[in-house]
């Protein structure tokens, strides 16, 4: 239908496809699109349409045909146009994009002209009295259809342009208004055909037609929406897969390479494998599906315990198993408890790491936060440590007591040491 | 009934009484089926525990997906199945669902022990509610795994520290009133036992700590397992029914 020949233009320019303009359009963007395509001012094109409209409504037909068959595009008006119109610039994809737009006088002029011409048209059309009556319902139907189409255009446009996105209610209102107009017009025609007394049967007939159309087109429409949602789902899946692949690619492969390089160094291999395992777990099992950055400061107890354990594990090469029950935000006292717990983990890794994994358990119960760090090493006697050695006494016991908590160290009957730290949470401010 | 050794799925090397050595009464045999979709892992487990002379474990079958698992388990009627949580064809839960009649068999019940690398509570709680008698992580040592297998064969429950943590979380005091007073609450004692498991204690150590017998510890753990499987607590049902996208 778009057989409008490209006007010969001065200067070498890439051939353009004909698009309807989605910017600064008044109805379907046909005139603006054509104007852009032909390199003419919009107002001329609109005038031509108006003129054609006089010719027994040929303009309206043409316009509707263009609207129906020409795809919606962006921009459309040539850059070499009167400054009262749009300014466009080339975007990377070759389509010209609207940059600034001043109120378009052409639109207003065209609108006024349209109204005037419509009046003349209605006045001049040589119709019999009976046919004359159909005119207004027909106009109503046309207006309704135009509204709905325009809405569809907007929806399509909103999909690839983030600008000009209106609220849903407006969208809905527009569509409803269009449908109402069409219904009113159609009913008008039917009522005219018969008379008011037949309105009931007319509505029934209309309903029957509607149901029929729904039955015919329904499956097709349903299938189309299903296809669309399926496609969207596939896209999301593909995106997720790409994310996983990227992650695996970046970190896991890297680690595997390092492991191969350090094959002779058992400690380093173990450390690398553990670190990678932690990273992967954090990434897989975080509620939002991707791990937080390593640099973020932990804000909750569970995060803090896991972070500390991970760092100690990395540094000393002893696996640390962490179990956390419940969670709470960190406050000053809990922060001190975390530091003490970290110290306990370091000791457990250093002196008790021979006996296997260190087990860390943290629990929030009501207002009490309890942390235990347990190793299966040779055990350790606090009294046997000279008084001038400050490690455990200061950094674990002293620190806890200064902050109003308690610390207990004890030897586990079957070997190993356990450090138990208890701290009350600060009063909730919430 | 031999005195059970103290392993309970903690990750660590052998500690104390190793079941790998036949004790006074001569270790019973246990027939095991391995269900895991990773061939490398199956091979590794087979190498670690399949030395029947030393461990008393006889691997009678292997399977790599749900259908295969059901077929092999039905054909070989093992005493214990080592079941991976993530399996093609519906996961470990599906295997449990289809083997339910075998589990309930009065004469020769087939018992399941879940193994997984998963950290997701719903995965773990899901297989327990599906009927598995315990859950251990794949980092478990061969010795501990053998102990766990015998424990499951005897009808006891095997809780790793992580599972204990999940259970404590699930039964944490909520404002919601319990639907069933007996099933929706853990007793103080059960809570203490679970806490010690989560802290890395072996059953024997728990017994010493709480001044009770190992048998009593086991009965507490079994009671918790039963509650876990039967309770309708909101958290449990949510966990059990949650379907992950990944």
């Amino acid at each position: 239908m778009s057989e409008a020949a490209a006007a010969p233009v001065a200067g070498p320019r890439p051939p353009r496809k004909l698009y309807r303009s989605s910017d600064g359009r008044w109805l379907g963007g046909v005139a603006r699109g054509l104007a852009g395509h032909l390199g003419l001012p919009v107002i001329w094109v609109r005038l031509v349409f108006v003129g054609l409209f006089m010719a027994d409504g040929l303009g309206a037909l043409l316009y509707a045909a263009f609207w129906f068959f020409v795809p919606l595009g962006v921009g459309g008006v040539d850059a070499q146009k009167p400054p009262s119109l749009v300014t466009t610039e080339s975007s990377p994809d070759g389509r010209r994009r609207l940059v600034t737009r001043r109120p378009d006088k052409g639109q207003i002029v065209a609108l006024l002209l349209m109204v005037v011409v419509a009046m003349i048209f209605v006045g001049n059309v040589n119709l019999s009295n009976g046919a004359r009556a159909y005119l207004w319902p027909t106009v109503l139907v046309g207006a309704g259809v135009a509204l709905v189409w325009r809405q569809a255009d907007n929806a399509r446009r909103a999909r690839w342009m983030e600008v000009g996105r209106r609220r849903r209610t407006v969208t809905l209102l527009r569509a409803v208004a269009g449908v109402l107009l069409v219904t009113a017009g159609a009913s008008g025609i039917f009522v005219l055909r018969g008379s008011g007394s037949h309105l009931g049967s007319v509505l029934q007939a209309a309903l029957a037609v509607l149901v029929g159309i729904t039955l015919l087109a329904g499956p097709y429409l349903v299938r189309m929406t299903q296809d669309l949602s399926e496609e969207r789902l596939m896209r999301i899946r593909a995106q997720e897969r790409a994310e996983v692949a990227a992650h695996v690619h970046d970190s896991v492969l890297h680690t595997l390479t390092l492991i191969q390089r350090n094959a002779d160094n058992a400690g380093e291999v173990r450390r690398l494998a553990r670190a990678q395992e932690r990273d992967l777990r954090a990434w897989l099992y975080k509620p939002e599906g991707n791990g937080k950055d390593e640099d973020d400061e932990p804000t909750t107890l569970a995060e803090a315990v896991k972070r500390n354990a991970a760092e100690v594990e990395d540094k000393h090469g002893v696996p640390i198993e962490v179990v956390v029950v419940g969670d709470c935000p960190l406050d000053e006292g809990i922060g001190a408890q975390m530091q003490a717990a970290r110290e306990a983990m370091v000791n457990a890794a250093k002196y008790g790491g021979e006996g296997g994994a260190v087990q860390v358990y943290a629990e929030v119960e009501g207002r009490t936060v309890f942390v235990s760090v347990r190793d299966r090493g040779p055990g350790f006697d606090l009294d046997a440590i000279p008084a001038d050695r400050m490690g455990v006494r200061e950094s674990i016991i002293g620190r806890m007591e200064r902050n109003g908590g308690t610390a207990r160290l004890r030897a586990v009957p079957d070997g190993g040491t356990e450090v138990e730290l208890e701290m009350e949470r600060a009063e909730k401010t919430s | 009934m031999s005195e059970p050794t103290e392993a309970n799925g903690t990750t660590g090397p052998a500690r104390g009484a190793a079941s790998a050595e036949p004790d006074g009464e001569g270790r019973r045999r246990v027939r095991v089926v391995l269900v895991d979709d990773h061939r490398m892992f199956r091979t590794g487990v087979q190498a670690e525990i399949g030395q029947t002379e030393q461990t008393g474990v006889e691997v009678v079958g292997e399977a790599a997906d749900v259908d295969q698992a059901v077929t092999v388990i039905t054909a070989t009627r093992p005493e214990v199945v080592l079941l991976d949580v993530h399996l093609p064809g519906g996961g470990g839960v599906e295997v449990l669902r289809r083997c339910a009649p075998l589990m309930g068999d009065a004469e020769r019940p087939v018992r399941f022990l879940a193994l997984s690398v998963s950290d997701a509570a719903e995965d773990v709680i899901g297989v327990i509610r599906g009927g598995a008698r315990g859950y251990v992580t794949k980092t478990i040592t061969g010795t501990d795994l053998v102990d766990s297998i015998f424990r499951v064969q005897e009808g006891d429950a095997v809780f790793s520290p992580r599972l204990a943590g999940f259970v404590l979380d699930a039964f944490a005091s909520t404002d919601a009133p319990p639907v069933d007073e007996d099933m929706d609450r853990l007793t103080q004692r059960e809570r203490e036992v679970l806490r010690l498991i989560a802290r890395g204690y072996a059953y024997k150590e728990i017994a010493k700590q709480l001044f009770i017998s190992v048998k009593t510890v086991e009965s507490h753990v079994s009671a918790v397992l039963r509650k876990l499987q039967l309770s309708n607590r909101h958290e449990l049902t949510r966990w059990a029914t949650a379907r992950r996208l990944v």
Side-chain angles (χ1 to χ4, degrees):
Chain A
M1 201 56 198
S2 57
E3 78 290 325
V9 280
R13 255 191 301 165
R16 280 201 310 271
K17 275 195 74 172
L18 174 60
Y19 285 111
R20 287 187 289 112
S21 165
S22 61
D23 300 304
R25 62 199 180 137
W26 181 64
L27 247 182
V30 173
R32 184 171 284 279
L34 267 175
H37 188 72
L38 302 171
L40 300 168
V42 179
I43 188 75
W44 291 14
V45 182
R46 283 188 178 142
L47 281 172
V48 169
F49 269 117
V50 169
L52 285 173
F53 190 76
M54 308 282 285
D56 285 343
L58 180 66
L61 270 179
L62 256 180
Y63 195 94
F66 268 116
W67 193 347
F68 198 82
F69 289 104
V70 177
L72 189 68
V74 209
V77 174
D78 200 5
Q80 313 162 340
K81 33 113 217 62
S84 64
L85 302 175
V86 274
T87 318
T88 58
E89 65 170 21
S90 289
S91 66
D93 62 354
R95 279 196 185 164
R96 267 145 330 122
R97 204 163 45 80
L98 187 90
V99 205
T100 55
R101 213 184 86 214
R102 269 174 282 165
D104 186 356
K105 285 201 194 90
Q107 271 190 48
I108 300 156
V109 175
L111 176 61
L112 287 172
L113 265 173
M114 275 280 224
V115 173
V116 170
V117 170
M119 293 298 185
I120 295 167
F121 174 71
V122 170
N124 284 359
V125 168
N126 268 332
L127 293 170
S128 60
N129 266 353
R132 172 78 58 95
Y134 287 117
L135 189 64
W136 286 115
T138 314
V139 169
L140 270 184
V141 171
V145 169
L147 245 171
V148 174
W149 278 10
R150 171 81 207 239
Q151 184 49 56
D153 272 355
N154 271 12
R156 193 182 302 167
R157 175 184 176 209
R159 280 178 66 165
W160 37 257
M161 287 204 32
E162 288 303 308
V163 297
R165 202 186 274 271
R166 284 202 176 80
R167 286 201 311 282
R168 285 190 76 100
T169 44
V170 178
T171 308
L172 202 66
L173 277 178
R174 247 188 168 161
V176 168
V179 172
L180 278 179
L181 279 173
V182 172
T183 317
S187 309
I189 289 176
F190 279 116
V191 171
L192 283 165
R193 291 288 309 191
S195 65
S197 61
H198 290 290
L199 185 60
S201 50
V202 165
L203 281 179
Q204 274 177 5
L207 193 67
V209 170
L210 273 179
V211 169
I213 288 174
T214 311
L215 283 176
L216 283 173
Y220 170 73
L221 283 174
V222 168
R223 203 172 57 232
M224 204 164 69
T225 45
Q226 277 175 345
D227 283 355
L228 273 176
S229 62
E230 200 172 324
E231 190 205 357
R232 193 175 304 136
L233 196 70
M234 294 300 284
R235 224 183 16 246
I236 292 170
R237 284 231 177 101
Q239 223 165 358
E240 263 185 1
R241 219 174 288 136
E243 254 176 52
V244 173
H247 186 87
V248 168
H249 191 273
D250 284 357
S251 82
V252 178
L253 288 181
H254 186 219
T255 305
L256 287 173
T257 312
L258 284 176
I259 285 178
Q260 288 171 46
R261 247 185 239 159
N262 292 296
D264 303 331
N265 182 345
E268 181 66 7
V269 168
R270 201 173 298 123
R271 197 189 65 74
L272 281 167
R274 286 287 296 186
Q276 181 58 64
E277 181 190 351
R278 259 200 333 262
D279 172 64
L280 205 53
R281 281 182 188 284
W283 191 76
L284 285 174
Y285 297 113
K286 273 277 157 67
E288 63 274 19
N290 49 9
K292 286 178 86 164
D293 270 350
E294 286 280 309
D295 321 331
D296 293 351
E297 270 307 304
T299 52
T300 67
L301 175 84
E303 279 175 21
V305 172
K306 284 175 182 158
R307 171 73 55 89
N308 280 320
E311 284 168 3
V312 174
E313 195 177 66
D314 271 353
K315 202 165 164 202
H316 299 276
V318 173
I320 300 182
E321 298 290 331
V322 182
V323 175
V324 184
V325 174
D327 204 357
C328 69
L330 290 177
D331 58 40
E332 203 179 333
I334 310 295
Q337 187 184 24
M338 288 301 103
Q339 286 172 318
R342 185 194 178 99
E343 201 63 39
M345 290 180 214
V346 171
N347 282 339
K350 266 195 199 157
Y351 306 114
E354 298 308 307
V358 174
Q359 189 77 35
V360 175
Y361 174 72
E363 181 182 33
V364 182
E365 204 184 12
R367 289 195 43 232
T368 311
V369 178
F370 172 88
V371 178
S372 96
V373 177
R374 149 167 212 177
D375 65 64
R376 295 184 175 274
F380 140 105
D381 184 2
L382 189 60
D383 301 332
I385 294 191
D388 57 348
R389 294 283 303 280
M390 300 297 277
V392 170
R393 225 171 253 131
E394 265 314 297
S395 57
I396 298 179
I397 301 172
R399 181 177 275 149
M400 288 301 288
E401 281 168 0
R402 274 197 301 278
N403 284 278
T406 56
R408 287 201 314 138
L409 272 80
R410 48 190 211 92
V412 181
D414 279 0
T417 311
E418 182 162 50
V419 180
E420 294 177 350
L421 310 170
E422 264 193 46
M423 179 72 75
E424 292 290 304
R425 287 166 59 187
E427 286 299 337
K428 265 194 233 148
T429 47
S430 57
Chain B
M1 172 102 28
S2 62
E3 169 84 350
T5 49
E6 77 265 64
N8 60 348
T10 50
T11 61
R15 290 186 299 277
S19 56
E21 298 149 7
D23 45 21
E25 33 177 81
R27 197 91 212 202
R28 283 204 318 278
R29 288 292 173 89
V30 59
R31 301 169 73 251
V32 173
V33 165
L34 296 180
V35 180
D36 196 300
D37 51 335
H38 296 99
R39 198 174 47 81
M40 263 170 73
F41 183 75
R42 290 204 307 271
T43 312
V45 171
Q46 172 77 289
E48 268 194 317
I49 68 171
Q51 311 297 328
T52 316
E53 280 68 40
Q54 281 109 56
T55 59
V57 173
E58 186 191 350
V59 179
V60 294
E62 293 187 10
D65 61 40
V66 171
D67 294 341
Q68 230 179 355
V70 175
T71 312
V72 170
I73 292 165
T74 313
T76 57
R77 291 303 296 271
E79 292 158 283
V80 176
V81 178
L82 289 184
L83 181 67
D84 188 12
V85 173
H86 292 169
L87 270 185
V93 177
E94 181 65 14
V95 176
L96 289 161
R97 204 180 57 77
R98 285 164 63 179
C99 292
L102 299 176
M103 274 192 266
D105 190 285
E107 285 296 307
R108 295 161 53 210
V110 176
R111 297 198 167 102
F112 288 82
L113 173 61
L115 272 122
S116 175
V117 289
S118 175
D119 270 351
E122 57 264 32
D123 288 350
V124 180
I125 301 279
V127 288
I128 297 291
R129 282 178 75 87
R133 305 284 310 161
Y135 165 86
V136 290
T137 47
K138 284 185 178 176
T139 45
I140 189 170
T141 61
T143 322
D144 284 352
L145 183 55
V146 170
D147 280 325
S148 306
I149 290 171
F150 277 106
R151 203 184 286 285
V152 168
Q153 182 205 22
E154 285 155 15
D156 290 323
V158 175
F159 276 31
S160 61
R162 182 169 295 151
L163 175 56
F166 286 152
V167 177
L168 283 169
D169 244 343
F171 282 97
S173 42
T174 52
D175 301 335
V179 183
D180 177 347
E181 195 65 45
D182 288 341
M183 278 299 153
D184 293 356
R185 287 243 171 93
L186 297 178
T187 66
Q188 194 52 41
R189 230 1 170 199
E190 287 163 356
R191 208 176 278 281
E192 279 170 0
V193 169
L194 278 181
R195 244 189 224 117
L196 288 170
I197 293 176
R199 283 164 67 170
Y201 280 61
Y203 284 20
K204 222 190 221 168
E205 294 168 328
I206 296 172
K208 270 190 194 155
Q209 177 84 14
L210 300 178
F211 304 107
I212 52 180
S213 73
V214 174
K215 267 270 141 267
T216 313
V217 174
E218 280 172 356
S219 65
H220 281 312
V221 177
S222 294
V224 171
L225 186 81
R226 212 179 63 252
K227 288 182 183 182
L228 197 55
Q229 289 172 342
L230 300 178
S231 167
N232 285 320
R233 271 188 75 92
H234 166 71
E235 285 86 356
L236 292 172
T237 37
R238 187 168 54 84
W239 273 355
T241 54
R243 300 294 329 136
R244 292 170 57 80
L245 276 173
V246 184

